[in-house]
Amino acid sequence: MPKSTFLNLRPEKRADFTDAALFEFALNDYQNASITNMVKVLGIAKGSVYQYFENKKDLYEFLIELAAEEKLKYTKKVIKKAGDGDFIKWYRKLLHQSLLFDLENPMLGCLLINVSQERNNAEIGNLALTNKRETAAFLKKVLELHQPKSLSPSLDSSKLAFHLTQLGFGLTDAFCIEKELDLRHFALERTAVEYDEAEVKAFVKDMVNALKPALG
Amino acid sequence: MPKSTFLNLRPEKRADFTDAALFEFALNDYQNASITNMVKVLGIAKGSVYQYFENKKDLYEFLIELAAEEKLKYTKKVIKKAGDGDFIKWYRKLLHQSLLFDLENPMLGCLLINVSQERNNAEIGNLALTNKRETAAFLKKVLELHQPKSLSPSLDSSKLAFHLTQLGFGLTDAFCIEKELDLRHFALERTAVEYDEAEVKAFVKDMVNALKPALG
Amino acid sequence: MPKSTFLNLRPEKRADFTDAALFEFALNDYQNASITNMVKVLGIAKGSVYQYFENKKDLYEFLIELAAEEKLKYTKKVIKKAGDGDFIKWYRKLLHQSLLFDLENPMLGCLLINVSQERNNAEIGNLALTNKRETAAFLKKVLELHQPKSLSPSLDSSKLAFHLTQLGFGLTDAFCIEKELDLRHFALERTAVEYDEAEVKAFVKDMVNALKPALG
Amino acid sequence: MPKSTFLNLRPEKRADFTDAALFEFALNDYQNASITNMVKVLGIAKGSVYQYFENKKDLYEFLIELAAEEKLKYTKKVIKKAGDGDFIKWYRKLLHQSLLFDLENPMLGCLLINVSQERNNAEIGNLALTNKRETAAFLKKVLELHQPKSLSPSLDSSKLAFHLTQLGFGLTDAFCIEKELDLRHFALERTAVEYDEAEVKAFVKDMVNALKPALG
DNA sequence: AATGAATGAGGGTTCATTCAT
DNA sequence: AATGAATGAACCCTCATTCAT
């Protein structure tokens, strides 16, 4: 976690720093994100980074947490209703929010995608698999919550949870492929993706509908 | 592509080199794979690498092609029959072969997984998205080939192709999560995963079955 | 020397500061003692150090003086009697007190040992040699004071003074080697060495006795 | 130990490197010896150092061994005769050779003195005490070898061994103090100390004579 | 064809000191 | 009197690539 030094920083300065750090770690994986480069962009002394954070890993963990929290804000309301009503509607809503988040916050989106793919780093462990395992476990629980009420009793919750996990992790990619967008480009430009609300909704709907019979 | 010097190498030497290179790039992403480390393990001169290949990128591309070809050998027979008979059976067979390949060749499997996740490297481009795009396009074609014959006419081939793509890219992960295996560990040890043929078959079957209703 | 700000400090605070500084400089030589680390342990602002002292060297000199004074308290009574009675008894008593001081104040002892070995630092000069020169000169004088009365007239006061100096500088080391103690460990733990008064006395006695014939 | 790279270096280049390294580590203790500074003086790339040695510690150990071997060449003949003839003559000869070595090789001398004072470095351990312990143990054995033949039976070999150890470690210091020399200065200038052979001999003789009665 | 020494920019990190508050 | 953020040079070390042999 950040040192107090960082928390006591003038809000604007802290924001600048955070932004530059997110930028660097959004466009590079952990090992290749360069503190040297980051401070050059920021125009501050390299030593300052170590006034704010213990080390590179500490900074990285802060950014992950920040991005995760930010994303949670988008999805919290939906997640809370995990057991209510219709599962498909719920999941569609969840995906919708998740996709919107990435489109509106390309930097945070890219960062989280990077995190979800860290496999080879001894220092931070295999986050990719850990992430998937946890997400799949959560979705399995939700599926089993709905199964008695509205889902087919023959449904294989474990396997289906995995399919839904994959969908979740890959949705933004799919959208970008279909719409010929490059999220990294938007992260690079620090701009949100301009999207057509109806298009996004339709995309998610179609995506989930394609799986619907499997959930029937 | 390799220089002629590499192709003229004594087969055994070429094999040793290739193995060591695969090892290094299987356990590290492109940027973090170290030629320095590779030649140390191999016990050859660092300069030799540049007699064989133009540069690091050239070597990487060679390894990708090699791994892809090796995997193709496993799946070619299945892929050729893309239009025949039952789609589901076909796809199940395809996944089965793909999973077996990863389990029997952890090093190649890890390498290809790494490749499928290179997003942030200006030097080699966003391979992750390129890969997905191509795979999805191929599967869409196959789906559309079967649709008039055996698949539901209302099926959204584009979206479904994406789901199947995700399944393909994530199947080995799912297997490793369920069986609590670490593929990187096997790559590191240079040993194949010992698996129970029936278990693998069942796993793939369940995985596809969970999606079956969506395929009509 | 300390600035007035330091002298005006609340006694307890001044004591805390002094203790932490001694700790740092006891366990590290001048260059490697870290003010950054010291203030972290102390929990005060880094800037405060520079309110109290001109710079690192200034602080170091203060600590040396303090440790030296503290040691002097232990030995003053003995030193004062430099010309009286039996030289050997006197010197034995001096060594005894000196050794006790190190055992009872491992931090101060370590610091002074460090000081007595600073040779390579342009900033603070070759303290090692300066120290030895002064000590040897003092002992030479004392020897010459006793020589007409109780020491052999053929005795080479200059050379003998050097032997006694070496003994003085190395006595604690010898004790630690024989008793298998690590003084730095006790400094680290901020605890005195628990010693057997009789053992210490015997050790010093044997040590001096071994030289006695030379003083005959 | 050095990598093969270093051993294969052109002799002149290897000599230049070794000289510069000795220079740096003779005038600075381990932690403060700077590889950055060393290569600047040498006019080679920093990376080269790591072609030759694993790391700083590896280089340091090489230099210690080299200096120790060089010193051994000076003293080997004497040491071999450890049990023969008169102990005092033998020890005088040993000290004589040791002192000559330091005077003729100020850089190596300074380095070994530095080594004999490393107390505070976790990375390399407390070499100071280790050195003393070993030297004292050796001298004790030699004393006990002579005791039945030519030394007083009442002599305390353990304590006396320590006095002789101290003498050995401090002899050069004593000489420098008496003759008002600064060995570091000669190391810095890369020149041998110009000494008067007779003076050195007399100095050692007087020094040992002062202890002679204690050896009875 | 093979070598392996040389390069130099880049990596993360630590440090004593300053100065506006 | 006290703070603590800012500095920037220095630290050790790694890297892909080159090139004379």
Side-chain angles (χ1 to χ4, degrees), chain C residues 97-125:
Chain C
Q97 287 303 99
S98 170
L99 178 51
L100 282 193
F101 176 80
D102 287 353
L103 298 178
E104 289 177 10
N105 309 278
M107 234 156 60
L108 298 174
C110 280
L111 176 73
L112 289 174
I113 289 175
N114 280 347
V115 171
S116 80
Q117 294 188 344
E118 290 286 352
R119 304 179 168 265
N120 298 312
N121 194 321
E123 209 176 332
I124 57 175

PDB file of all heavy atoms in Angstrom, chain C residues 97-125:
ATOM      1  N   GLN C  97      38.514  -2.093  33.246  1.00  0.00           N
ATOM      2  CA  GLN C  97      37.428  -1.118  33.128  1.00  0.00           C
ATOM      3  C   GLN C  97      36.993  -0.971  31.667  1.00  0.00           C
ATOM      4  O   GLN C  97      35.806  -0.867  31.350  1.00  0.00           O
ATOM      5  CB  GLN C  97      37.874   0.252  33.652  1.00  0.00           C
ATOM      6  CG  GLN C  97      37.989   0.318  35.148  1.00  0.00           C
ATOM      7  CD  GLN C  97      36.693  -0.056  35.849  1.00  0.00           C
ATOM      8  OE1 GLN C  97      36.528  -1.190  36.309  1.00  0.00           O
ATOM      9  NE2 GLN C  97      35.764   0.884  35.899  1.00  0.00           N
ATOM     10  N   SER C  98      37.960  -0.970  30.814  1.00  0.00           N
ATOM     11  CA  SER C  98      37.680  -0.794  29.396  1.00  0.00           C
ATOM     12  C   SER C  98      36.843  -1.956  28.855  1.00  0.00           C
ATOM     13  O   SER C  98      35.867  -1.778  28.134  1.00  0.00           O
ATOM     14  CB  SER C  98      39.001  -0.685  28.633  1.00  0.00           C
ATOM     15  OG  SER C  98      38.758  -0.742  27.258  1.00  0.00           O
ATOM     16  N   LEU C  99      37.232  -3.159  29.257  1.00  0.00           N
ATOM     17  CA  LEU C  99      36.497  -4.336  28.807  1.00  0.00           C
ATOM     18  C   LEU C  99      35.087  -4.349  29.383  1.00  0.00           C
ATOM     19  O   LEU C  99      34.103  -4.609  28.675  1.00  0.00           O
ATOM     20  CB  LEU C  99      37.258  -5.604  29.216  1.00  0.00           C
ATOM     21  CG  LEU C  99      36.617  -6.952  28.870  1.00  0.00           C
ATOM     22  CD1 LEU C  99      36.217  -7.012  27.406  1.00  0.00           C
ATOM     23  CD2 LEU C  99      37.573  -8.092  29.205  1.00  0.00           C
ATOM     24  N   LEU C 100      34.987  -4.026  30.680  1.00  0.00           N
ATOM     25  CA  LEU C 100      33.660  -3.972  31.303  1.00  0.00           C
ATOM     26  C   LEU C 100      32.761  -2.994  30.561  1.00  0.00           C
ATOM     27  O   LEU C 100      31.576  -3.262  30.317  1.00  0.00           O
ATOM     28  CB  LEU C 100      33.774  -3.530  32.764  1.00  0.00           C
ATOM     29  CG  LEU C 100      34.230  -4.587  33.757  1.00  0.00           C
ATOM     30  CD1 LEU C 100      33.986  -4.077  35.178  1.00  0.00           C
ATOM     31  CD2 LEU C 100      33.489  -5.898  33.542  1.00  0.00           C
ATOM     32  N   PHE C 101      33.346  -1.865  30.214  1.00  0.00           N
ATOM     33  CA  PHE C 101      32.551  -0.848  29.500  1.00  0.00           C
ATOM     34  C   PHE C 101      31.959  -1.427  28.216  1.00  0.00           C
ATOM     35  O   PHE C 101      30.764  -1.273  27.950  1.00  0.00           O
ATOM     36  CB  PHE C 101      33.422   0.362  29.167  1.00  0.00           C
ATOM     37  CG  PHE C 101      32.703   1.390  28.353  1.00  0.00           C
ATOM     38  CD1 PHE C 101      31.842   2.291  28.952  1.00  0.00           C
ATOM     39  CD2 PHE C 101      32.861   1.440  26.974  1.00  0.00           C
ATOM     40  CE1 PHE C 101      31.169   3.239  28.199  1.00  0.00           C
ATOM     41  CE2 PHE C 101      32.185   2.381  26.211  1.00  0.00           C
ATOM     42  CZ  PHE C 101      31.337   3.279  26.826  1.00  0.00           C
ATOM     43  N   ASP C 102      32.770  -2.096  27.439  1.00  0.00           N
ATOM     44  CA  ASP C 102      32.288  -2.666  26.185  1.00  0.00           C
ATOM     45  C   ASP C 102      31.207  -3.718  26.435  1.00  0.00           C
ATOM     46  O   ASP C 102      30.204  -3.785  25.714  1.00  0.00           O
ATOM     47  CB  ASP C 102      33.436  -3.292  25.393  1.00  0.00           C
ATOM     48  CG  ASP C 102      34.341  -2.233  24.770  1.00  0.00           C
ATOM     49  OD1 ASP C 102      33.989  -1.023  24.854  1.00  0.00           O
ATOM     50  OD2 ASP C 102      35.390  -2.588  24.212  1.00  0.00           O
ATOM     51  N   LEU C 103      31.429  -4.531  27.471  1.00  0.00           N
ATOM     52  CA  LEU C 103      30.459  -5.591  27.739  1.00  0.00           C
ATOM     53  C   LEU C 103      29.139  -5.022  28.236  1.00  0.00           C
ATOM     54  O   LEU C 103      28.062  -5.537  27.922  1.00  0.00           O
ATOM     55  CB  LEU C 103      31.018  -6.578  28.766  1.00  0.00           C
ATOM     56  CG  LEU C 103      32.289  -7.330  28.327  1.00  0.00           C
ATOM     57  CD1 LEU C 103      32.780  -8.246  29.450  1.00  0.00           C
ATOM     58  CD2 LEU C 103      32.036  -8.139  27.060  1.00  0.00           C
ATOM     59  N   GLU C 104      29.231  -3.964  29.001  1.00  0.00           N
ATOM     60  CA  GLU C 104      28.012  -3.388  29.568  1.00  0.00           C
ATOM     61  C   GLU C 104      27.340  -2.411  28.620  1.00  0.00           C
ATOM     62  O   GLU C 104      26.152  -2.110  28.759  1.00  0.00           O
ATOM     63  CB  GLU C 104      28.330  -2.706  30.911  1.00  0.00           C
ATOM     64  CG  GLU C 104      28.640  -3.731  31.986  1.00  0.00           C
ATOM     65  CD  GLU C 104      29.042  -3.088  33.307  1.00  0.00           C
ATOM     66  OE1 GLU C 104      28.893  -1.849  33.426  1.00  0.00           O
ATOM     67  OE2 GLU C 104      29.511  -3.825  34.197  1.00  0.00           O
ATOM     68  N   ASN C 105      28.096  -1.904  27.660  1.00  0.00           N
ATOM     69  CA  ASN C 105      27.545  -0.956  26.681  1.00  0.00           C
ATOM     70  C   ASN C 105      27.915  -1.361  25.264  1.00  0.00           C
ATOM     71  O   ASN C 105      28.696  -0.682  24.591  1.00  0.00           O
ATOM     72  CB  ASN C 105      28.081   0.451  26.959  1.00  0.00           C
ATOM     73  CG  ASN C 105      27.903   0.876  28.392  1.00  0.00           C
ATOM     74  OD1 ASN C 105      26.833   1.320  28.775  1.00  0.00           O
ATOM     75  ND2 ASN C 105      28.954   0.704  29.185  1.00  0.00           N
ATOM     76  N   PRO C 106      27.354  -2.471  24.828  1.00  0.00           N
ATOM     77  CA  PRO C 106      27.782  -3.002  23.523  1.00  0.00           C
ATOM     78  C   PRO C 106      27.633  -1.989  22.396  1.00  0.00           C
ATOM     79  O   PRO C 106      28.477  -1.915  21.508  1.00  0.00           O
ATOM     80  CB  PRO C 106      26.837  -4.191  23.309  1.00  0.00           C
ATOM     81  CG  PRO C 106      26.449  -4.611  24.678  1.00  0.00           C
ATOM     82  CD  PRO C 106      26.368  -3.336  25.484  1.00  0.00           C
ATOM     83  N   MET C 107      26.601  -1.150  22.462  1.00  0.00           N
ATOM     84  CA  MET C 107      26.391  -0.185  21.393  1.00  0.00           C
ATOM     85  C   MET C 107      27.536   0.815  21.346  1.00  0.00           C
ATOM     86  O   MET C 107      28.123   1.063  20.287  1.00  0.00           O
ATOM     87  CB  MET C 107      25.065   0.541  21.611  1.00  0.00           C
ATOM     88  CG  MET C 107      24.150   0.473  20.418  1.00  0.00           C
ATOM     89  SD  MET C 107      22.425   0.702  20.883  1.00  0.00           S
ATOM     90  CE  MET C 107      22.437   2.325  21.603  1.00  0.00           C
ATOM     91  N   LEU C 108      27.860   1.357  22.517  1.00  0.00           N
ATOM     92  CA  LEU C 108      28.960   2.319  22.571  1.00  0.00           C
ATOM     93  C   LEU C 108      30.282   1.640  22.232  1.00  0.00           C
ATOM     94  O   LEU C 108      31.121   2.210  21.528  1.00  0.00           O
ATOM     95  CB  LEU C 108      29.031   2.943  23.973  1.00  0.00           C
ATOM     96  CG  LEU C 108      27.791   3.744  24.390  1.00  0.00           C
ATOM     97  CD1 LEU C 108      27.914   4.200  25.846  1.00  0.00           C
ATOM     98  CD2 LEU C 108      27.589   4.946  23.474  1.00  0.00           C
ATOM     99  N   GLY C 109      30.423   0.419  22.716  1.00  0.00           N
ATOM    100  CA  GLY C 109      31.641  -0.319  22.412  1.00  0.00           C
ATOM    101  C   GLY C 109      31.822  -0.527  20.923  1.00  0.00           C
ATOM    102  O   GLY C 109      32.889  -0.249  20.364  1.00  0.00           O
ATOM    103  N   CYS C 110      30.757  -0.989  20.286  1.00  0.00           N
ATOM    104  CA  CYS C 110      30.829  -1.213  18.834  1.00  0.00           C
ATOM    105  C   CYS C 110      31.139   0.092  18.103  1.00  0.00           C
ATOM    106  O   CYS C 110      31.941   0.117  17.165  1.00  0.00           O
ATOM    107  CB  CYS C 110      29.507  -1.791  18.320  1.00  0.00           C
ATOM    108  SG  CYS C 110      29.328  -3.558  18.609  1.00  0.00           S
ATOM    109  N   LEU C 111      30.481   1.146  18.518  1.00  0.00           N
ATOM    110  CA  LEU C 111      30.719   2.429  17.875  1.00  0.00           C
ATOM    111  C   LEU C 111      32.188   2.806  17.945  1.00  0.00           C
ATOM    112  O   LEU C 111      32.809   3.169  16.942  1.00  0.00           O
ATOM    113  CB  LEU C 111      29.870   3.519  18.534  1.00  0.00           C
ATOM    114  CG  LEU C 111      30.115   4.916  17.985  1.00  0.00           C
ATOM    115  CD1 LEU C 111      29.513   5.064  16.605  1.00  0.00           C
ATOM    116  CD2 LEU C 111      29.590   6.000  18.902  1.00  0.00           C
ATOM    117  N   LEU C 112      32.753   2.688  19.130  1.00  0.00           N
ATOM    118  CA  LEU C 112      34.149   3.095  19.292  1.00  0.00           C
ATOM    119  C   LEU C 112      35.084   2.185  18.511  1.00  0.00           C
ATOM    120  O   LEU C 112      36.106   2.626  17.990  1.00  0.00           O
ATOM    121  CB  LEU C 112      34.511   3.132  20.778  1.00  0.00           C
ATOM    122  CG  LEU C 112      33.858   4.291  21.540  1.00  0.00           C
ATOM    123  CD1 LEU C 112      34.125   4.184  23.037  1.00  0.00           C
ATOM    124  CD2 LEU C 112      34.350   5.644  21.011  1.00  0.00           C
ATOM    125  N   ILE C 113      34.738   0.924  18.451  1.00  0.00           N
ATOM    126  CA  ILE C 113      35.547   0.015  17.633  1.00  0.00           C
ATOM    127  C   ILE C 113      35.465   0.443  16.166  1.00  0.00           C
ATOM    128  O   ILE C 113      36.466   0.498  15.458  1.00  0.00           O
ATOM    129  CB  ILE C 113      35.083  -1.444  17.821  1.00  0.00           C
ATOM    130  CG1 ILE C 113      35.469  -1.929  19.225  1.00  0.00           C
ATOM    131  CG2 ILE C 113      35.723  -2.344  16.763  1.00  0.00           C
ATOM    132  CD1 ILE C 113      34.951  -3.316  19.565  1.00  0.00           C
ATOM    133  N   ASN C 114      34.251   0.747  15.722  1.00  0.00           N
ATOM    134  CA  ASN C 114      34.109   1.242  14.349  1.00  0.00           C
ATOM    135  C   ASN C 114      34.975   2.471  14.120  1.00  0.00           C
ATOM    136  O   ASN C 114      35.692   2.573  13.121  1.00  0.00           O
ATOM    137  CB  ASN C 114      32.650   1.609  14.058  1.00  0.00           C
ATOM    138  CG  ASN C 114      31.806   0.400  13.742  1.00  0.00           C
ATOM    139  OD1 ASN C 114      32.333  -0.690  13.503  1.00  0.00           O
ATOM    140  ND2 ASN C 114      30.498   0.573  13.745  1.00  0.00           N
ATOM    141  N   VAL C 115      34.889   3.394  15.036  1.00  0.00           N
ATOM    142  CA  VAL C 115      35.663   4.619  14.903  1.00  0.00           C
ATOM    143  C   VAL C 115      37.142   4.297  14.787  1.00  0.00           C
ATOM    144  O   VAL C 115      37.857   4.858  13.948  1.00  0.00           O
ATOM    145  CB  VAL C 115      35.430   5.547  16.114  1.00  0.00           C
ATOM    146  CG1 VAL C 115      36.400   6.711  16.079  1.00  0.00           C
ATOM    147  CG2 VAL C 115      33.997   6.031  16.134  1.00  0.00           C
ATOM    148  N   SER C 116      37.569   3.367  15.622  1.00  0.00           N
ATOM    149  CA  SER C 116      39.005   3.058  15.649  1.00  0.00           C
ATOM    150  C   SER C 116      39.453   2.363  14.369  1.00  0.00           C
ATOM    151  O   SER C 116      40.606   1.992  14.246  1.00  0.00           O
ATOM    152  CB  SER C 116      39.323   2.177  16.853  1.00  0.00           C
ATOM    153  OG  SER C 116      38.989   0.831  16.577  1.00  0.00           O
ATOM    154  N   GLN C 117      38.535   2.168  13.451  1.00  0.00           N
ATOM    155  CA  GLN C 117      38.908   1.496  12.205  1.00  0.00           C
ATOM    156  C   GLN C 117      38.609   2.304  10.952  1.00  0.00           C
ATOM    157  O   GLN C 117      38.739   1.789   9.838  1.00  0.00           O
ATOM    158  CB  GLN C 117      38.207   0.141  12.137  1.00  0.00           C
ATOM    159  CG  GLN C 117      38.711  -0.785  13.220  1.00  0.00           C
ATOM    160  CD  GLN C 117      38.177  -2.173  13.045  1.00  0.00           C
ATOM    161  OE1 GLN C 117      37.229  -2.393  12.318  1.00  0.00           O
ATOM    162  NE2 GLN C 117      38.805  -3.123  13.713  1.00  0.00           N
ATOM    163  N   GLU C 118      38.185   3.532  11.121  1.00  0.00           N
ATOM    164  CA  GLU C 118      37.911   4.357   9.946  1.00  0.00           C
ATOM    165  C   GLU C 118      39.226   4.815   9.327  1.00  0.00           C
ATOM    166  O   GLU C 118      39.921   5.665   9.859  1.00  0.00           O
ATOM    167  CB  GLU C 118      37.070   5.584  10.320  1.00  0.00           C
ATOM    168  CG  GLU C 118      35.641   5.290  10.703  1.00  0.00           C
ATOM    169  CD  GLU C 118      34.752   4.918   9.508  1.00  0.00           C
ATOM    170  OE1 GLU C 118      35.202   5.023   8.363  1.00  0.00           O
ATOM    171  OE2 GLU C 118      33.599   4.511   9.755  1.00  0.00           O
ATOM    172  N   ARG C 119      39.538   4.234   8.208  1.00  0.00           N
ATOM    173  CA  ARG C 119      40.805   4.577   7.570  1.00  0.00           C
ATOM    174  C   ARG C 119      40.612   5.266   6.231  1.00  0.00           C
ATOM    175  O   ARG C 119      41.470   6.000   5.765  1.00  0.00           O
ATOM    176  CB  ARG C 119      41.595   3.307   7.230  1.00  0.00           C
ATOM    177  CG  ARG C 119      41.864   2.415   8.364  1.00  0.00           C
ATOM    178  CD  ARG C 119      42.624   1.183   7.902  1.00  0.00           C
ATOM    179  NE  ARG C 119      43.111   0.482   9.089  1.00  0.00           N
ATOM    180  CZ  ARG C 119      44.322   0.645   9.589  1.00  0.00           C
ATOM    181  NH1 ARG C 119      45.201   1.406   8.980  1.00  0.00           N
ATOM    182  NH2 ARG C 119      44.675   0.025  10.694  1.00  0.00           N
ATOM    183  N   ASN C 120      39.514   4.941   5.586  1.00  0.00           N
ATOM    184  CA  ASN C 120      39.421   5.227   4.160  1.00  0.00           C
ATOM    185  C   ASN C 120      38.540   6.416   3.804  1.00  0.00           C
ATOM    186  O   ASN C 120      38.236   6.632   2.646  1.00  0.00           O
ATOM    187  CB  ASN C 120      38.899   3.991   3.434  1.00  0.00           C
ATOM    188  CG  ASN C 120      39.827   2.816   3.594  1.00  0.00           C
ATOM    189  OD1 ASN C 120      41.030   2.968   3.400  1.00  0.00           O
ATOM    190  ND2 ASN C 120      39.288   1.676   3.945  1.00  0.00           N
ATOM    191  N   ASN C 121      38.109   7.127   4.818  1.00  0.00           N
ATOM    192  CA  ASN C 121      37.123   8.141   4.531  1.00  0.00           C
ATOM    193  C   ASN C 121      37.744   9.538   4.490  1.00  0.00           C
ATOM    194  O   ASN C 121      38.121  10.100   5.514  1.00  0.00           O
ATOM    195  CB  ASN C 121      36.020   8.083   5.582  1.00  0.00           C
ATOM    196  CG  ASN C 121      34.844   8.879   5.138  1.00  0.00           C
ATOM    197  OD1 ASN C 121      35.004   9.948   4.557  1.00  0.00           O
ATOM    198  ND2 ASN C 121      33.656   8.372   5.386  1.00  0.00           N
ATOM    199  N   ALA C 122      37.783  10.084   3.296  1.00  0.00           N
ATOM    200  CA  ALA C 122      38.380  11.407   3.117  1.00  0.00           C
ATOM    201  C   ALA C 122      37.688  12.438   4.001  1.00  0.00           C
ATOM    202  O   ALA C 122      38.326  13.333   4.555  1.00  0.00           O
ATOM    203  CB  ALA C 122      38.280  11.826   1.654  1.00  0.00           C
ATOM    204  N   GLU C 123      36.370  12.233   4.148  1.00  0.00           N
ATOM    205  CA  GLU C 123      35.566  13.220   4.859  1.00  0.00           C
ATOM    206  C   GLU C 123      35.961  13.332   6.332  1.00  0.00           C
ATOM    207  O   GLU C 123      35.980  14.411   6.910  1.00  0.00           O
ATOM    208  CB  GLU C 123      34.093  12.787   4.760  1.00  0.00           C
ATOM    209  CG  GLU C 123      33.093  13.917   4.805  1.00  0.00           C
ATOM    210  CD  GLU C 123      31.698  13.325   4.589  1.00  0.00           C
ATOM    211  OE1 GLU C 123      31.575  12.272   3.916  1.00  0.00           O
ATOM    212  OE2 GLU C 123      30.748  13.906   5.109  1.00  0.00           O
ATOM    213  N   ILE C 124      36.262  12.176   6.934  1.00  0.00           N
ATOM    214  CA  ILE C 124      36.545  12.196   8.361  1.00  0.00           C
ATOM    215  C   ILE C 124      38.000  11.869   8.695  1.00  0.00           C
ATOM    216  O   ILE C 124      38.382  11.898   9.858  1.00  0.00           O
ATOM    217  CB  ILE C 124      35.621  11.217   9.122  1.00  0.00           C
ATOM    218  CG1 ILE C 124      35.771   9.809   8.561  1.00  0.00           C
ATOM    219  CG2 ILE C 124      34.190  11.685   9.062  1.00  0.00           C
ATOM    220  CD1 ILE C 124      34.994   8.774   9.342  1.00  0.00           C
ATOM    221  N   GLY C 125      38.765  11.576   7.670  1.00  0.00           N
ATOM    222  CA  GLY C 125      40.182  11.333   7.916  1.00  0.00           C
ATOM    223  C   GLY C 125      40.470   9.933   8.410  1.00  0.00           C
ATOM    224  O   GLY C 125      39.567   9.142   8.645  1.00  0.00           O
TER     225      GLY C 125
END
